[in-house]
Amino acid sequence: MTRPLKVGIQLPEVEREVRWPELLAMARLAEDAGFDSLWVGDHLLYRDAGLGARGPWEAWSLLAGLAAATTRIALGPLVACTSFSSPAMLAKKAATVDEISGGRLVLGLGAGWNETDYTAFDFPYDHRIGRFEEAFTIIRTLLRDGSIDFAGRYYSVHDCELLPRSARPGGPPLMVGSSGERMLRITIPHVDAWNAWFADTGNSPAGVAGLREKVDTACREAGRDPAAVERTVAVLVGLSGGTGRPGGDLAQRGIVPLRGTSDELADAFRAYAREGIAHLQLVLDPITLAAIEELAPALEALDRG
C-alpha cells in the first residue's frame, strides 16, 4: 500500500438526526472500506434562526460504543471541549475509551466556541482559554504521568491519580484543534498533532501553507522540531445527493466542497500530503452509508499511487 496520508471520516453530528444503529453501520462500513479513522464532534446544542434547535449525541458515550464495536480503525473527538467535564474526569473518560478500543484513541482537545453549548448546559463561557490552559495541564499530566496535584484559578485537584492506567505508555496521543497563537503556545510543547477545520483552509490544499507556518513557528519557539507535530485537516467532500452541509458553525457556510471522480479526489488528497498534511478528516455531504460506499474507491485510487 502506498497511501501517502491517513484518511478518516467524521460521523454525523447535526446534519440530520441519526440513530445508533445507523451510526454503528457507518462505523463498520468505514472500517471495512479501509478508512483510517472515525471522528465525532463534541457539542451539546445548536440554535440558529434558519434551522432552529439541533443537538448531537454525547460524544464520549458514542466513542465508547464505537470503540467496542470496531477492531482496527482509530477514533477520537474532533475535538473534545475541555469545558464540558472536569479535567480529571475527562482524562478518566479518555483512558477508559482508550482501553475499550485497545489503544486506538486520538485525544483531540479544544477550548470550545459555541456559546449555546455553555449557556444551555450551565458551563461558564468566560475566560475559555485560561480555563483550557489549566484543564490541559491536568489532563495531559494525568494521562502521561498518572498523578497530579494542581491548584489553579479555575480548577484544582489534590492527590489525584488516574487508575488504572492506559496500556499505552504515556496514554493516547494528544491533538489540539486550534490555530490561535495563544492556544499554540499552550499546547505545542506537549501535543502530538494539530488540526484545522476546513473553513480555516478555505477547504483547499492551497490554504494550508499559512497555517503550517504558524505551527512551525510555534514549534521553533517551543524548542521542538516542527516535524514532531503531525498536521491534520478536515476536508468537506461533496458526493451524490449533497445539498450543502447544515452544520452548527455558521462561518463554514458558503465553503465549496471538494468534488470529483475517485481519481480526482485521490489527487486532491495527495495535494494535501504534499503540503505536509499527514491525516485528513473527511466531512461528507451527505453523510450516509451510500456516501461512504461512493467514497471508498477514492481510497483505492489513493493507494495505487
Side-chain angles (χ1 to χ4, degrees), residues 24-39:
L24 177 59
M26 287 181 178
R28 287 175 168 165
L29 176 59
E31 183 169 62
D32 291 344
F35 287 93
D36 297 292
S37 56
L38 293 170
W39 304 89

Side-chain angles (χ1 to χ4, degrees), residues 39-91:
W39 304 89
V40 301
D42 186 18
H43 288 282
L44 305 171
L45 182 67
Y46 292 110
R47 289 195 182 105
D48 66 74
L51 295 170
R54 294 164 296 140
W57 298 111
E58 195 278 317
W60 286 101
S61 302
L62 279 183
L63 286 168
L66 294 168
T70 56
T71 60
R72 175 195 59 80
I73 199 165
L75 67 164
L78 196 65
V79 291
C81 179
T82 57
S83 299
F84 298 163
S85 298
S86 71
M89 193 66 224
L90 198 155

